[in-house]
Every structure is written in structure tokens, then in C-alpha cells.
């Protein structure tokens, strides 16, 4: 994805659901910054991730879809908190 193809950060909103390209839930957007957004998993929050905008494939129907390949390794929200630990 080239810089020109990057998602417009103005499309992202707190409370949006983030999913992988297969539609599996990754978490919820809790903060939108200048170069990234923060993604939180679980309630109360078990894990938090910083995701750069260029890891976003698209924003569609109020949901954020992330693609692989930009160093973002966010486990599925349904995975156990300890399962993603090395």
C-alpha cells in the first residue's frame, strides 16, 4: 500500500470495531492519534496495541479492517490473554 492509498485518519473513530480481512474481531479503537490508533482487547482491557494507519486496509460500515504485512501482530480478541505470550 502506498502513502497515497493510506486510509484517511478522519475516517477512524473511537468505539469502532477492528477486524482482520477475514472478518474476525481484533478489538476496539480506543484512541486515534496523528500517526496511529490504539486498539484495546477485552473488558476490562486485557491488552492494548498501537496500530499505524498504513496497517488499515479499509474502513467500511463503521468497522476498521487491518491487513497483514506491516508488522502488526494483533491476536484475535477471543484468544486467551496468555495464549499470545511467547
Amino acid at each position: 500500500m502506498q502513502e497515497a492509498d493510506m486510509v484517511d485518519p478522519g475516517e477512524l473513530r473511537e468505539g469502532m470495531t477492528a477486524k482482520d480481512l477475514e472478518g474476525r474481531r481484533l478489538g476496539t479503537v480506543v484512541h486515534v492519534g496523528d500517526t496511529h490508533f490504539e486498539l484495546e482487547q477485552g473488558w476490562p482491557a486485557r491488552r492494548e496495541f498501537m496500530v499505524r494507519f498504513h496497517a488499515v486496509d479499509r474502513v467500511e460500515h463503521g468497522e476498521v479492517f487491518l491487513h497483514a504485512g506491516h508488522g502488526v501482530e494483533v491476536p484475535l480478541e477471543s484468544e486467551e490473554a496468555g495464549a499470545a505470550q511467547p
Side-chain angles (χ1 to χ4, degrees):
M1 181 175 276
Q2 297 176 359
E3 189 76 21
D5 295 336
M6 189 171 71
V7 68
D8 176 3
E11 292 183 68
L12 298 172
R13 301 278 184 259
E14 292 177 9
M16 289 180 127
T17 297
K19 296 183 174 184
D20 67 10
L21 291 180
E22 296 178 26
R24 297 176 297 191
R25 184 179 170 87
L26 299 173
T28 303
V29 175
V30 293
H31 175 75
V32 179
D34 292 332
T35 60
H36 68 280
F37 65 94
E38 294 176 30
L39 179 66
E40 191 173 81
Q41 292 184 334
W43 182 256
R46 296 184 319 239
R47 298 179 276 191
E48 294 181 355
F49 300 89
M50 289 178 51
V51 181
R52 297 200 177 272
F53 293 138
H54 56 271
V56 175
D57 182 71
R58 67 186 184 279
V59 176
E60 184 176 276
H61 306 293
E63 296 177 322
V64 181
F65 291 86
L66 304 182
H67 60 83
H70 282 287
V72 176
E73 292 190 30
V74 179
L76 297 177
E77 188 173 46
S78 60
E79 291 180 1
E80 296 282 339
Q85 303 292 325

